[in-house]
Amino acid sequence: MEHLLLRDDQYRSPDDRLRPDRLRQSCPVLLSQRLVLRAPHVEDIDALTHLANNAAVATMVSRMPHPYTASDAADFVRRSNLGEIGKCVYAITKAENGEFLGCCALEPHTDLETLEIGYWLGEPYWNEGYATEAAHALIDMAFRTRDIAFIDARCRVTNVAARRVIQKCGFQFQGGGMVGHLAARGMVPVEWYRLDRKTWMSLKSWGEMR
């Protein structure tokens, strides 16, 4: 996940401007037992900066710079709402008080029948089941509302927690590879997992997999 709110929009005609509300029509607000997944807001910038500016987080997220500044956070909010970062980017928040916990997203592949899921949480919220709960909500929405066959997930080979979330969601190991990593300033080894529609449909409830 990724960088000043630009004002170039004011120089465009109304017909030419990107409309964030239109771009996110296919990305509805998602509710789960403890969470609300919704579009990132400008009001999230302080919390986003605080949580993302953490080497323990950045080393596990391929496109997160480190250090992570308020300008990075503002640009992330702007670009995510313009549809420039993935198809659906969500802020993960607590249902009870709106507290910002992290982000998750779906990105389309070039083959059109596959999406890729990504997610991260701030360190204070690790090991509470929030990542699995958010992933469940995002996966359910994707398969129910889109004509796709697969959802892919990737994690660093050293990221035990992310691997556990992926496996809890029913993904199956496909292989390994290397990807570019901003914070590491180079390539890092990752594992690739895939969840197909048939497997998703065979799961009677996510609760059985927790």
Side-chain angles (χ1 to χ4, degrees):
M1 311 260 122
E2 308 171 336
H3 282 28
L4 293 167
L5 297 171
L6 301 185
R7 296 184 174 85
D8 55 348
D9 245 11
Q10 64 185 311
Y11 302 111
R12 302 178 188 173
S13 70
D15 291 338
D16 292 334
R17 291 177 189 170
L18 292 171
R19 289 285 304 278
D21 56 331
R22 291 179 183 173
L23 288 169
R24 290 197 61 91
Q25 282 179 353
S26 62
C27 306
V29 173
L30 303 177
L31 307 178
S32 65
Q33 183 176 358
R34 298 178 296 169
L35 302 174
V36 175
L37 275 57
R38 45 108 175 131
H41 297 162
V42 171
E43 291 78 13
D44 299 325
I45 289 174
D46 288 345
L48 172 57
T49 305
H50 173 70
L51 295 176
N53 189 33
N54 179 342
V57 173
T59 54
M60 297 302 171
V61 182
S62 62
R63 285 176 287 178
M64 181 180 285
H66 187 73
Y68 194 93
T69 68
S71 293
D72 293 320
D75 192 59
F76 170 80
V77 171
R78 179 189 67 84
R79 293 178 61 210
S80 65
N81 283 283
L82 291 177
E84 297 177 2
I85 307 175
K87 180 63 176 176
C88 288
V89 178
Y90 286 97
I92 303 171
T93 68
K94 283 188 180 180
E96 61 182 19
N97 58 14
E99 186 176 356
F100 179 91
L101 310 183
C103 292
C104 60
L106 290 170
E107 264 188 74
H109 280 211
T110 54
D111 63 11
L112 301 181
E113 65 173 7
T114 306
L115 294 175
E116 182 158 343
I117 189 173
Y119 52 87
W120 67 268
L121 287 175
E123 189 170 4
Y125 310 106
W126 292 357
N127 301 313
E128 299 290 340
Y130 292 127
T132 303
E133 189 172 332
H136 286 170
L138 201 55
I139 291 165
D140 286 344
M141 183 275 287
F143 277 125
R144 286 172 176 160
T145 64
R146 286 154 171 76
D147 185 20
I148 58 169
F150 308 104
I151 298 178
D152 285 356
R154 288 176 172 81
C155 67
R156 289 192 66 169
V157 297
T158 56
N159 195 341
V160 176
R163 183 185 303 112
R164 185 164 60 246
V165 171
I166 289 168
Q167 292 172 340
K168 283 182 179 180
C169 291
F171 287 78
Q172 302 298 310
F173 180 75
Q174 303 295 309
M178 302 289 290
V179 300
H181 195 284
L182 266 180
R185 296 176 173 82
M187 305 293 288
V188 298
V190 297
E191 296 174 348
W192 167 38
Y193 294 82
R194 171 164 283 184
L195 177 64
D196 61 76
R197 180 177 287 276
K198 183 177 179 181
T199 300
W200 171 74
M201 292 180 66
S202 72
L203 304 175
K204 293 182 179 179
S205 73
W206 287 121
E208 295 178 3
M209 303 190 68
R210 288 179 180 150

